[in-house]
Amino acid sequence: MDGLILPSRTRGTPWRLPVWALPAALALLLGLWHLGRPLLWRDELASWSAARRTTGQLWGLLDHVDAVSGAYYFLLHFWIRVFSGSAVGLRLPSVLATAATAGLTALVGRRLFRPRVGLWAGILFALVPTVLRFAQEARSYALADTAVLLATWQLLFLLDRAERRCRWREAGAWAGYGATLALIGLLHLVGLSVLAAHAWLLITRRRRAWRGFVSAVALAVLALSPLLLIGQGQSDRQTGWTVRPSLNAVPGFLQNLTSGGLFGLALLVLAVVGMLSRSGLMYSPVPFLPIATVWICSQGAHSYWVERYLLFVVPLWTILAAAGVDKLPWSRWIAPFAVLLVAGLASDGIRIDSLEFSHTGVDWRSGAAVIALGYQAGDAIVPERGVDALFMTDLGISYYLPQSSQPRDIFVSIPAVARNDLFALECTLPVVCLNGAHRVWVVTDGHASAPLGGLLPSQQAALRSNYRVTELHYVRGLTVTLLTLRTQGP
């Protein structure tokens, strides 16, 4: 059985709907639902900042920071040339990748168990609220998930092949698997932790394939070696904010991967039911081995313990849960109702993750609207940077401002693009950089009683001695202040 059997319109002959079709369609529809509504958050703004640069400027950026995201940035660079840099355009690759992952989840579930398990696994994956959250994000996680599931399917295909007479064909198939492993690393290096699960599959299915497996892994590592070396040099800046996890961090980590709540509990219960069979017990380590690998690696100098880095284990988890659905009494009739019940539990999480502020608590759009409404030619702007530069206040406002209403960033001495970075360099003597601007918009984080309080002391002094506050606006997460040049003494 290769898929769902549906009645044909001719001669009563049934035709088969591929097992991947319904999961892929469901994931695509849910991913497109309100795709442009959530405001971009800082990581998406970083993607936009990188992708809109020229190829030369992008190479310069990757030489200094974010080399591990380089493949995704280049993909997005060429993508937005065709599909624009709108929120929908930026996020569409992730939606398409998530739909592909749902289909691949069904195919992997079919190979590990049977077609019906694959169908339920793909549908359950498409319903996970965390999956929708990152399907609607302009980052590489969804694409890395697709590559991981593709590699898993390739490996199972290689292990299950009955025809092994042509060594060249066999070698080519292993080379293709190695190429997909390299693609995983290009999209997100942490995704290579799936190799722990792949090694387990080799142990359980066919030991004599180790030669091909090791050769494919060696090929991928060789191809990725420049990126591994550059990424190691940039790791302090990339992952310096993460903390070393303890064992107590594991339960919460697993809960966050599936959005927690009753939905996560239902998946857990179904997965436990799925483990009760011989096949389910044999494959039960598969979703957990990558997590264990990353946990162990995170005990060293650098931690990689971030839920979204391991999003690719969610489809492996839903395969076990689907095996549990298939083990329910009278599963042929009960399973659809069980999946509908799980869908009901997921509905609120899916709705919440598609709200305007589901990605960020900062209302960039309203802050930009205040400036655009009062903008006059020659206006300048001072976004909060300093220790809070990582919140991307400058990019958030710039993204949502119309091109015709972009004030000059008055304190910038070297723009981010010119210094091959995501952050601009500000002048050390702000009073010199004022350059006679008549009006200055100041944008700071939060709702401060002192509207200039988020700026550096030297910037505050320069502005207070030359300008007075004429407008003060509070929007969600931001304070927007208009300063006007003093014409008389204070």
Side-chain angles (χ1 to χ4, degrees), residues 13-89:
T13 304
W15 58 277
R16 297 180 186 275
L17 183 67
V19 72
W20 54 264
L22 284 178
L26 178 62
L28 181 63
L29 289 174
L30 289 176
L32 292 174
W33 184 60
H34 295 311
L35 178 57
R37 183 161 69 176
L39 295 170
L40 271 63
W41 78 297
R42 66 172 185 256
D43 280 14
E44 293 182 287
L45 292 168
S47 296
W48 169 70
S49 174
R52 65 178 180 153
R53 304 181 188 206
T54 67
T55 54
Q57 292 168 341
L58 191 46
W59 279 117
L61 171 71
L62 301 179
D63 191 43
H64 288 82
V65 66
D66 245 3
V68 293
S69 300
Y72 175 71
Y73 288 162
F74 270 104
L75 183 152
L76 203 60
H77 167 81
F78 293 107
W79 178 272
I80 64 175
R81 285 186 171 186
V82 179
F83 294 96
S84 86
S86 67
V88 171

Side-chain angles (χ1 to χ4, degrees), residues 255-270:
Q255 185 181 39
N256 291 338
L257 272 176
T258 56
S259 304
L262 291 176
F263 175 81
L265 180 61
L267 277 188
L268 176 62
V269 170
L270 289 172

Side-chain angles (χ1 to χ4, degrees), residues 376-409:
Q376 294 180 11
D379 280 0
I381 190 171
V382 177
E384 181 175 349
R385 289 192 180 93
V387 294
D388 291 328
L390 57 89
F391 292 113
M392 307 282 187
T393 302
D394 51 350
L395 291 179
I397 291 297
S398 178
Y399 180 83
Y400 285 100
L401 271 174
Q403 196 59 40
S404 59
S405 304
Q406 294 273 351
R408 176 171 57 93
D409 203 331

